Amino acid sequence: MNRTSDPDPTDEQGNRRDFLTGRSLRDRLERNARAVGEGFLNGLPPEPEAGATLRMATRAMACQFGLVLNPGDRDVVMPATDALERVHSLESQMTVYRPESELSLLNAQAAEEAFELTPNLYGLLKRGQELATETDGAFDMTAAPFITLWHMARQEDRIPTEDEIADVSERVGSDKILFDDESRTVRLKKPGVELNLGGIGKGYALDVIAEDLQTQGIDSFLLHGGQSTMLAYGNHHGHPGWPIGLRNPLFTQQRLATILLTDCALSTSGSNVQFHRFQGKRYGHILDPRTGWPVDELLSVTVLAPTAELADALSTAFFVMGVEKTIKFCDNHPKVSAILILPPRAGRPIDPILVNVPEHVLFITPHDLPPADV
């Protein structure tokens, strides 16, 4: 399967006006994406299949956290359970829904004085700030007030006004967070600014649980947080990794592909399920924190990255960034891969755009995909 980021030599002679207006790159990407779609049935290797497993789960962070193990060793059950339960202590530290949590106390106090954090939470917030810079603000830990505003507007069957967006914008932006590495403190520049780890916290928790499992000598496992973010290590059922099904975002009961996840993480974001219609227009639930408005260039984004924390954050950031900026980011970060799905043209199947995705980890489901009815 050809990677869609490879240039088509014939495009170098394309129309200069199209290039200057950005159409040339988009057209090339879409042509290459369609070529990938048309190759679905041509000589593809069989999909890897899952075997018997031992599963355990617990509910935290408003979703189910699951651990999947290879069967056979009963001695690992108790240490594995203890590792999975670690998510509850992390939730009690990172949640904004409990006033006594460390993050809630920071939000309540850091606009008045510097707030000292425990090392792990300080490190997570600092990495989140670095991602905000690297994604030009597409990932932003201060964006929760926009989400609250849109939730309120949906309940009232309307969309926010420009004045409401402008008012909330005064309290959103990574530039409103001040870090002091020496004292391990955080300051918020003005009252009303608040940090929320909803876009990175699940992934971070999976990384912590995985480290605990490996410390206990458990080297092959699959972890997930709400099914949307996954982390896999080791082997399963004779495969050098764990097979993960990737769903068609338009026909969610249909598998689009299988990804063999090996010693890395995967996270998917999309607006195909959660959205709001107002006066005939569809508004997705993923917002651009720089504008406060929903983004709709893509149907879904799946990210492969070395850590679940990074995959979790980038899946939403890439959705906001769109095709061209995501490709540029992955070009500069070769260990990060993305599968981008654009809204299809009427009468055609969906067209995945593959960015840095190794051919040996992606197995396209060999059946005809129904065309879009849009």
Side-chain angles (χ1 to χ4, degrees), residues 138-139 199 269 286-287 301 303 311-321:
F139 174 80
S269 292
I286 297 179
L287 308 177
V301 172
V303 173
D312 192 10
L314 289 181
S315 64
T316 302
F318 286 176
F319 197 97
V320 171
M321 291 162 65

Side-chain angles (χ1 to χ4, degrees), residues 26-65:
R26 166 55 69 81
D27 289 346
R28 182 171 74 240
L29 290 170
E30 293 191 2
R31 285 198 302 274
N32 288 344
R34 285 194 289 276
V36 171
E38 292 166 359
F40 278 8
L41 303 177
N42 298 329
L44 295 174
E47 296 178 67
E49 296 182 355
T53 57
L54 173 65
R55 297 169 181 260
M56 53 193 72
T58 190
R59 187 163 183 81
M61 301 185 186
C63 69
Q64 186 181 77
F65 275 73

Side-chain angles (χ1 to χ4, degrees), residues 340-360:
L340 313 176
I341 298 182
L342 293 161
R345 299 174 183 175
R348 292 193 58 90
I350 62 173
D351 292 336
I353 294 177
L354 310 181
V355 188
N356 283 355
V357 179
E359 294 183 2
H360 67 277

Side-chain angles (χ1 to χ4, degrees), residues 321-333:
M321 291 162 65
V323 174
E324 296 179 25
K325 291 182 179 179
T326 293
I327 291 174
K328 182 177 180 181
F329 185 99
C330 292
D331 284 345
N332 293 327
H333 300 81

Side-chain angles (χ1 to χ4, degrees), residues 19 21 70 95 97 100 110 122 145 149 151 172 194 208 235 265 291 295 300 308 317 338 352 371:
F19 176 80
T21 59
N70 291 316
T95 183
Y97 300 106
E100 73 279 5
Y122 183 84
L149 173 62
H151 178 71
V172 172
E194 59 181 79
V208 172
N235 305 319
T291 67
V295 287
S300 73

